[in-house]
Amino acid sequence: MSRPLKLKALCHLGFTVIDIDEWFTQWGDSLGCTERHVHRETATGGILVNGIDHGFTDVSVAFTRMGGLPVELIQTHGGRTTHLDWLEQHGPGLHHVAFWVDDIDAEVRAATELGMQILMAPKGLGRAVVSTDVSVPDSTNLTIPNIFAFLGLPTANEPWTLELLDVGLIDEYRRLNGDLPGYPENA
């Protein structure tokens, strides 16, 4: 029998954008987004997007706050990501709501039992949770920790994605993203 997800705390609202700097110019000042933490993430492989490792990915990630609410902006520079898929299908805007969970493997498994699909996750998580029969070419030996999973509900009429983040890797997340996202100790 399926159980509801055990969400620990809100981390952020995530938006796909065409250009992070342009977003801050057009919206940031008006919304009082004076603080920002921006970094670039690249990988040569190891991330599954819709079950396929497309290899190279290159994204910029920015965190800010709007009225105290943590907001993430994602700009894809290269490769295939769930954010780029979203941008191509829906245009820029709200992409996901992110929550911390205590056990990402268990929560992703519960999500799939509830009918959700893994849209993007590290290769290890996708294979461990969905099936060992998934045929995914190895484009690299890179190991990306099972820190995140983007999930979609194909039967839903509302277009947004759920991101789950493993609280066990919170120190790595904070190192990359600073103190602007929401963390369980602040909930």
Side-chain angles (χ1 to χ4, degrees), residues 10-41:
L10 176 72
C11 182
H12 63 267
L13 296 182
F15 292 81
T16 59
V17 297
I18 296 168
D19 184 285
I20 287 173
D21 291 330
E22 182 178 295
W23 186 92
F24 276 104
T25 299
Q26 293 179 349
W27 284 100
D29 291 340
S30 299
L31 296 171
C33 300
T34 56
E35 288 186 90
R36 71 171 97 166
H37 178 91
V38 183
H39 73 277
R40 198 143 175 178
E41 295 180 19

Side-chain angles (χ1 to χ4, degrees), residues 105-124:
D105 293 327
E107 295 315 310
V108 170
R109 194 171 290 110
T112 60
E113 290 172 5
L114 290 166
M116 295 181 205
Q117 294 178 342
I118 300 173
L119 303 176
M120 188 167 94
K123 189 183 298 185

Side-chain angles (χ1 to χ4, degrees), residues 90-175:
H90 303 281
L94 179 65
H95 174 259
H96 64 271
V97 180
F99 290 94
W100 292 103
V101 296
D102 284 321
D103 182 344
I104 196 162
D105 293 327
E107 295 315 310
V108 170
R109 194 171 290 110
T112 60
E113 290 172 5
L114 290 166
M116 295 181 205
Q117 294 178 342
I118 300 173
L119 303 176
M120 188 167 94
K123 189 183 298 185
L125 181 64
R127 282 185 168 166
V129 172
V130 177
S131 168
T132 55
D133 298 331
V134 175
S135 176
V136 180
D138 285 324
S139 63
T140 182
N141 291 328
L142 179 67
T143 301
I144 297 170
N146 291 345
I147 191 169
F148 71 90
F150 287 93
L151 303 158
L153 187 58
T155 58
N157 293 322
E158 298 82 17
W160 63 279
T161 302
L162 175 66
E163 181 183 16
L164 300 181
L165 296 161
D166 192 311
V167 77
L169 295 167
I170 202 166
D171 291 338
E172 175 68 9
Y173 194 84
R174 184 174 274 134
R175 185 187 67 73

